[in-house]
């Protein structure tokens, strides 16, 4: 088997409308399909990342447990997105009221990166595309 790419990452949110607004309106992911699954009392929103086939699946479930951040627990640590210009991306997030950590440099790749959080505190990372 040879894995080719990441198809999607699934995120469970506590407030569907708030998270939908965050990922679609603030981050600019485009809606592929949205459905409500009555049997699960759950929304499922498929979102496209940029012009790729990669997706974020946003789920809502009644009363999901809170994310454990400190100490870090097993499982998904964070979700990282590539951007062309990290400073422009930080400025855009700031203009939308999203606070972003200071830019760091990866000691191995030399790429610049930073973190911010979604409405439920899931760490999201921006990595400047290596040119």
């Amino acid at each position: 088997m040879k894995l080719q790419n990441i198809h999607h990452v699934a995120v469970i949110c506590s407030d569907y409308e708030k998270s939908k607004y965050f990922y679609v309106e603030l981050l600019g992911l485009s809606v592929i399909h949205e459905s409500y699954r009555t049997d699960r009392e759950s929304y499922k929103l498929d979102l496209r990342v940029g012009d790729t086939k990669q997706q974020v699946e946003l789920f809502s479930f009644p009363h999901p447990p809170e994310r454990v951040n400190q100490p870090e627990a097993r499982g998904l640590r964070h979700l990282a997105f590539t951007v062309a210009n990290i400073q422009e991306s930080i400025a855009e997030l700031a203009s939308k009221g999203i606070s972003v950590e200071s830019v760091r440099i990866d000691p191995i790749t030399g790429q610049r990166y930073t973190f911010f959080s979604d409405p439920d505190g899931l760490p999201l990372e921006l990595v400047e595309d290596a040119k």
Side-chain angles (χ1 to χ4, degrees):
M1 171 174 54
K2 181 181 176 189
L3 301 178
Q4 297 177 326
N5 212 327
I6 293 174
H7 182 269
H8 70 268
V9 175
V11 175
I12 298 172
C13 63
S14 63
D15 183 326
Y16 179 73
E17 291 302 327
K18 185 176 184 179
S19 291
K20 178 181 174 182
Y21 178 81
F22 178 84
Y23 283 97
V24 174
E25 301 300 327
L26 299 182
L27 297 188
L29 277 63
S30 58
V31 175
I32 299 167
H33 182 76
E34 180 178 34
S35 61
Y36 183 76
R37 301 171 311 169
T38 306
D39 58 323
R40 294 183 177 192
E41 298 179 52
S42 170
Y43 278 97
K44 179 178 184 284
L45 179 63
D46 298 322
L47 301 167
R48 184 171 319 287
V49 180
D51 294 327
T52 71
K53 292 183 179 181
Q54 298 165 350
Q55 300 175 25
V56 171
E57 291 181 347
L58 185 63
F59 289 91
S60 68
F61 291 105
H63 316 294
E66 288 189 29
R67 175 183 168 79
V68 177
N69 282 332
Q70 299 296 330
E72 291 189 70
R74 291 183 202 128
L76 180 67
R77 183 175 185 194
H78 62 266
L79 174 58
F81 298 100
T82 305
V83 295
N85 183 303
I86 200 160
Q87 291 301 341
E88 288 176 6
S89 299
I90 290 169
E92 183 176 340
L93 291 172
S95 76
K96 296 174 179 179
I98 300 170
S99 93
V100 179
E101 294 181 7
S102 299
V103 173
R104 301 181 230 172
I105 308 285
D106 185 293
I108 297 169
T109 66
Q111 288 177 286
R112 299 188 312 160
Y113 68 97
T114 189
F115 285 92
F116 61 105
S117 296
D118 84 350
D120 286 304
L122 174 64
L124 302 175
E125 180 180 3
L126 297 180
V127 179
E128 191 169 62
D129 196 11
K131 297 181 170 77

